[in-house]
Amino acid sequence: MRKDKEQQKKTQMKQLKLFSHSIEPTEGTQGRTERNIQIGVELSSRLEKQRTLTANLLEQIVDYGNLNSAYKQVVVNRGSSGVDNMEVEELGLWLRTHLNDLRTLLLTEEYKVSLVRKVEIPKPTGGKRTLGIPTVKDRLIQQAIHQRLNQYYEPHFSEHSYGFRPGRNAHQALTQAVEYIKEGKEWVVDIDLENFFDKINHDRLMQRLSKGIGDKRLLRLINAYLKAGMMEGGLLEQRTSGTPQGGPLSPLLSNIVLDELDKELENRGHSFCRYADDCNIYVKSKKAGERVMTSVVDFIEKKLKLKVNQHKSGVRHCSAVKFLGYTLLEQGGIRIADKSIDRLKDRVREITQRNRGARFEVIIGELNQVIIGWTHYFRLANKWLSTIRDLDGWIRRKLRCYRLKQCGRRYTTYKLLRSLGIAEGTSWNIVMYSQGWWEMTTKTAVNQAMNVRWFIQQGLQSLYLRMQV
């Protein structure tokens, strides 16, 4: 009898290895082992049922209703053209005459996935991020695949995952992280995945997808999208790994890959938040964090076949960590990270360049768009708001400088100052004795004339006031 039970457990362990990498007991306890086995068996059963339900999923993907929804989403997302130069505005007209042919090609596996246009954009932290821009036709198909696949995978993703998911966002991740810190878990295992979207292992991802998708045609289509070459300046670059950002399917595939990490951390009982490839684990001491870091990095690199950036990763106090643009402090304090402030200032400098030649009201309009979006995202901040007040003053000074520079000549500047109600003699002194436009903005008379009320009349939004709403 005992041998039969041992054999049954070995069989369950083998079955679990097919569907999960989280089978080894992390605490050496019998109860933990049995729970892991049970989780694996349940996962195996669910995936088997899912494979049956998705045996003909491609027919659902090319359903007229699904394609219509995908088309609407592609139009909303807009974006630039791919290697065929077809714009989003042209897609509707193309579909009117080619929709049925497209459906047939997909169902018969005769559709040819196009090359991806390679674009590199600067990262806020330095370096470059690679984007892969598919053609609008491929974006339509990827969106249609995403919509159907998401119905099967989304309900089973971790509660600790917040990125690229309907009804979940960065603010929820931050709020949960604050709760962990309030519980005394002030040390953060800050894990940075090195070029995550470019390093995803194709074979491992396809193996994982094949466990839950029964339609072989769909699997081959997804594999074709993963391996589609990238075109840059007429040169073709073949891809053997990664799913570059830019296509509608990449976010879902990235969550499927990292869901393994989520489940592993859950099985270990960790408190964590993950937003896309940004994952923070919260513990009560630095020593505990170092133990967690070692074991989690080992799991990521050996099991998931991903690379951890050792220079950017580490165990740090929460006050030294930037998470989703914020820095979280003890006892629930939330402030805006220094780098987020720096990026805002860079954007303001870009808009208010004195050689742009744009009308003053245009500059105000562009700044308002930035201010509204920025304050909406950073509205959770409850510490160091004096920094925001200082930023408001700095933005107004940049605008004063821009407006004065528009005058061009001394006499025109004098006329502007007089129109603002500055006395004649004071106006001439400002114009004649100031060393440049920036110094001119330091004059008391200029500040009093172009004051906060004056900027409100020009329609300028206030960072500080919007943060108080």
Side-chain angles (χ1 to χ4, degrees):
M1 177 70 82
R2 184 174 180 181
K3 289 184 177 180
D4 290 342
K5 286 185 178 180
E6 289 178 355
Q7 184 61 39
Q8 184 180 9
K9 183 172 292 186
K10 287 181 180 180
T11 302
Q12 288 177 326
M13 291 287 283
K14 288 180 180 179
Q15 185 180 26
L16 176 55
K17 285 182 180 180
L18 295 174
F19 300 100
S20 172
H21 291 280
S22 178
I23 64 172
E24 296 298 331
T26 57
E27 297 179 354
T29 63
Q30 184 69 20
R32 192 59 166 269
T33 304
E34 292 178 353
R35 187 178 69 179
N36 287 343
I37 292 174
Q38 184 61 33
I39 290 172
V41 171
E42 291 173 357
L43 175 62
S44 170
S45 176
R46 175 175 68 78
L47 290 176
E48 186 175 349
K49 291 178 183 178
Q50 184 173 302
R51 280 199 307 275
T52 302
L53 293 172
T54 57
N56 296 298
L57 189 56
L58 196 55
E59 274 77 9
Q60 298 178 39
I61 289 169
V62 301
D63 174 78
Y64 287 108
N66 189 52
L67 287 174
N68 185 53
S69 297
Y71 167 73
K72 291 179 180 178
Q73 190 60 52
V74 169
V75 171
V76 169
N77 293 342
R78 298 191 62 77
S80 30
S81 60
V83 294
D84 63 353
N85 295 318
M86 180 185 287
E87 301 289 347
V88 172
E89 293 79 9
E90 303 174 68
L91 179 60
L93 183 61
W94 184 86
L95 287 172
R96 291 177 193 172
T97 54
H98 295 87
L99 178 58
N100 287 328
D101 292 338
L102 176 64
R103 295 177 72 247
T104 300
L105 289 173
L106 288 168
L107 290 172
T108 59
E109 297 188 77
E110 297 179 67
Y111 179 79
K112 301 297 181 184
V113 170
S114 298
L115 298 174
V116 175
R117 183 165 65 87
K118 182 179 180 180
V119 177
E120 291 186 331
I121 61 173
K123 290 183 179 180
T125 54
K128 292 184 178 181
R129 174 179 287 113
T130 300
L131 299 183
I133 311 298
T135 64
V136 290
K137 289 181 282 187
D138 282 328
R139 296 213 291 270
L140 170 74
I141 297 167
Q142 286 193 33
Q143 180 63 37
I145 295 172
H146 184 144
Q147 290 170 180
R148 289 303 187 195
L149 279 188
N150 209 45
Q151 296 176 358
Y152 293 97
Y153 284 96
E154 170 60 29
H156 304 287
F157 284 149
S158 170
E159 285 297 311
H160 303 274
S161 164
Y162 297 89
F164 306 133
R165 297 182 61 189
R168 300 174 76 80
N169 55 50
H171 285 177
Q172 293 171 336
L174 289 159
T175 301
Q176 179 59 71
V178 167
E179 291 303 312
Y180 291 143
I181 293 172
K182 285 181 178 179
E183 294 171 4
K185 299 173 182 177
E186 297 180 1
W187 287 90
V188 183
V189 180
D190 186 10
I191 299 174
D192 183 271
L193 298 178
E194 188 174 287
N195 297 324
F196 166 69
F197 285 92
D198 300 329
K199 300 289 187 181
I200 292 176
N201 185 288
H202 287 175
D203 292 338
R204 199 171 188 289
L205 173 56
M206 289 308 304
Q207 181 185 34
R208 185 163 179 82
L209 289 173
S210 67
K211 294 168 185 174
I213 299 175
D215 196 324
K216 302 297 183 183
R217 298 166 301 172
L218 176 57
L219 290 171
R220 285 190 283 268
L221 179 59
I222 293 174
N223 192 46
Y225 278 123
L226 288 174
K227 298 191 181 308
M230 301 186 78
M231 181 70 74
E232 181 185 26
L235 299 177
L236 176 62
E237 176 185 323
Q238 294 294 341
R239 281 194 294 150
T240 56
S241 64
T243 169
Q245 301 172 74
L249 200 51
S250 293
L252 175 60
L253 295 180
S254 69
N255 270 335
I256 291 173
V257 169
L258 291 178
D259 187 59
E260 288 188 79
L261 174 60
D262 296 340
K263 296 301 192 290
E264 176 71 10
L265 296 178
E266 287 176 350
N267 289 342
R268 296 184 183 189
H270 290 312
S271 299
F272 70 98
C273 293
R274 181 178 68 79
Y275 191 96
D277 58 333
D278 199 349
C279 182
N280 282 353
I281 306 168
Y282 297 85
V283 296
K284 290 190 175 182
S285 69
K286 185 175 182 180
K287 188 174 182 180
E290 289 169 348
R291 289 197 303 268
V292 171
M293 171 66 81
T294 300
S295 61
V296 171
V297 168
D298 186 69
F299 175 82
I300 290 172
E301 295 192 335
K302 292 184 178 179
K303 298 293 186 180
L304 301 187
K305 308 299 182 185
L306 297 171
K307 181 69 175 175
V308 173
N309 188 325
Q310 299 289 350
H311 297 291
K312 293 184 178 180
S313 302
V315 180
R316 307 178 179 96
H317 190 262
C318 60
S319 59
V321 175
K322 180 177 75 70
F323 183 46
L324 301 177
Y326 286 85
T327 294
L328 307 182
L329 309 174
E330 304 93 329
Q331 301 177 347
I334 307 173
R335 74 174 183 89
I336 301 168
D338 294 337
K339 289 184 178 179
S340 299
I341 299 288
D342 292 340
R343 285 199 291 272
L344 173 63
K345 294 180 77 170
D346 288 341
R347 182 66 180 128
V348 172
R349 290 188 185 99
E350 183 182 337
I351 293 173
T352 58
Q353 289 182 51
R354 289 172 238 169
N355 59 354
R356 283 191 63 191
R359 298 193 311 276
F360 192 61
E361 55 267 29
V362 172
I363 300 298
I364 294 281
E366 291 181 11
L367 280 174
N368 281 344
Q369 289 182 358
V370 172
I371 289 169
I372 291 170
W374 196 86
T375 52
H376 177 74
Y377 181 77
F378 287 106
R379 67 182 185 272
L380 295 184
N382 56 25
K383 295 289 184 181
W384 294 16
L385 293 183
S386 59
T387 303
I388 308 301
R389 189 187 295 112
D390 294 341
L391 265 176
D392 255 346
W394 179 77
I395 290 172
R396 287 194 296 269
R397 186 179 178 189
K398 294 289 289 183
L399 286 170
R400 289 187 194 104
C401 190
Y402 186 91
R403 182 66 187 90
L404 291 168
K405 174 69 167 58
Q406 277 188 315
C407 297
R409 295 180 298 172
R410 287 181 175 179
Y411 182 68
T412 315
T413 307
Y414 165 78
K415 287 176 63 177
L416 171 64
L417 297 178
R418 291 290 290 128
S419 71
L420 293 172
I422 301 176
E424 180 179 350
T426 304
S427 296
W428 274 121
N429 285 333
I430 292 171
V431 170
M432 297 303 293
Y433 298 108
S434 295
Q435 301 296 314
W437 308 105
W438 188 246
E439 185 191 334
M440 202 176 291
T441 62
T442 65
K443 305 302 180 182
T444 301
V446 172
N447 280 273
Q448 289 176 346
M450 303 170 79
N451 57 19
V452 174
R453 181 176 296 178
W454 184 82
F455 278 107
I456 291 175
Q457 292 171 350
Q458 308 308 308
L460 179 67
Q461 294 281 333
S462 165
L463 285 167
Y464 186 73
L465 291 179
R466 287 189 60 84
M467 293 290 283
Q468 307 304 309
V469 176

